[in-house]
Amino acid sequence: MSRLAEARLALMLLSRLPAGRLPEPAPRFADAAWAFPLAGLAVGVVAAAVMSLALAAGLPATVAAGLALATQIALTGGLHEDGIADLCDGFWGGYDRARRLEIMRDSRIGSYGALGIVLSVGLRWAALAAVPEPATALIVAAMASRVAPVALMAWLEPARADGLGHAAARVDGLRVAAAFVIGLVPLVVFSQGFAAAVLAALAVTALALIAKARIGGQTGDVLGASQQIAEIAVLITLCAR
């Protein structure tokens, strides 16, 4: 029952899909980390269904990919896109650690944030339109990319003494391992699956090093941005011939 409650919490945190009610006491944020790829599975399946229906209706791949991404964004409330926008604004708009963290907490989006969202959506859109099996790619990318925030939760210290990043600290090794297995094993259905995992790992590692240098650790925005960066890496690799 505790694992089911953790899976429900992961779905509540990472999507707007119905997940029922949590028992009392509710699980900790960090305890639900192992189920993040399962939340990705739920989001990915719905988006893949939309893309498959669009393609079956004779729509071009670019239009179908756009509808699938719109579905993903609607199902997550733009949570991860918001993270990458805030991260870009803070990391490149602030002159020191305190100012960067202040900017990242500001709900307004600046030029760096706008460019970050455009590039994130644009790269995923183009890659998804080009991948040979887009519905399957959507699902495996959604699952694999949600391993990234789990890895950063375990690797980096929280940059703040409050907020989502602080609540996400102290993930135990067993839950991290479970997230890796659940999220990355589905990549084997593609011949480029291993390469996709490696490229995503390199991209997320680079993000972690930048985050450590600029703000001293992770925040909720860093975690959200890591999902976007990992998904971009996976989809780009899967569309390579």
Side-chain angles (χ1 to χ4, degrees), residues 14-16 72-82:
L14 302 187
S15 82
R16 293 186 173 180
Q72 276 192 327
I73 292 169
L75 292 176
T76 62
L79 175 68
H80 308 300
E81 286 79 9
D82 179 70

Side-chain angles (χ1 to χ4, degrees), residues 8 43 54 57 67 71 73 75 79 82-83 119 125 132 137-139 145 166 173 178 192 205 208 214 225 228 233 236:
R8 283 178 173 172
V43 171
L67 291 172
T71 301
I73 292 169
L75 292 176
L79 175 68
D82 179 70
L119 289 171
W125 194 333
L138 258 175
I139 295 170
S145 62
H166 185 265
Q192 311 100 314
T205 298
R214 294 200 172 241
Q228 295 280 279
I236 285 177

Side-chain angles (χ1 to χ4, degrees), residues 9-36:
L9 178 58
L11 195 61
M12 290 175 180
L13 290 168
L14 302 187
S15 82
R16 293 186 173 180
L17 290 167
R21 296 179 62 85
L22 291 175
E24 293 293 342
R28 295 187 313 122
F29 183 104
D31 291 341
W34 69 270
F36 283 10

Side-chain angles (χ1 to χ4, degrees), residues 69-161:
L69 286 178
T71 301
Q72 276 192 327
I73 292 169
L75 292 176
T76 62
L79 175 68
H80 308 300
E81 286 79 9
D82 179 70
I84 200 164
D86 288 342
L87 180 142
C88 290
D89 274 337
F91 280 19
W92 285 278
Y95 50 83
D96 61 17
R97 179 180 180 274
R99 180 58 181 151
R100 288 167 191 146
L101 288 170
E102 180 184 355
I103 291 172
M104 290 168 72
R105 207 160 236 179
D106 192 331
S107 60
R108 293 169 296 181
I109 296 180
S111 56
Y112 289 116
L115 288 168
I117 289 180
V118 168
L119 289 171
S120 176
V121 174
L123 287 170
R124 287 182 291 146
W125 194 333
L128 188 56
V131 74
E133 298 178 44
T136 305
L138 258 175
I139 295 170
V140 300
M143 295 180 70
S145 62
R146 282 161 178 81
V147 176
V150 181
L152 295 195
M153 287 161 63
W155 180 8
L156 296 178
E157 292 294 322
R160 290 192 179 100

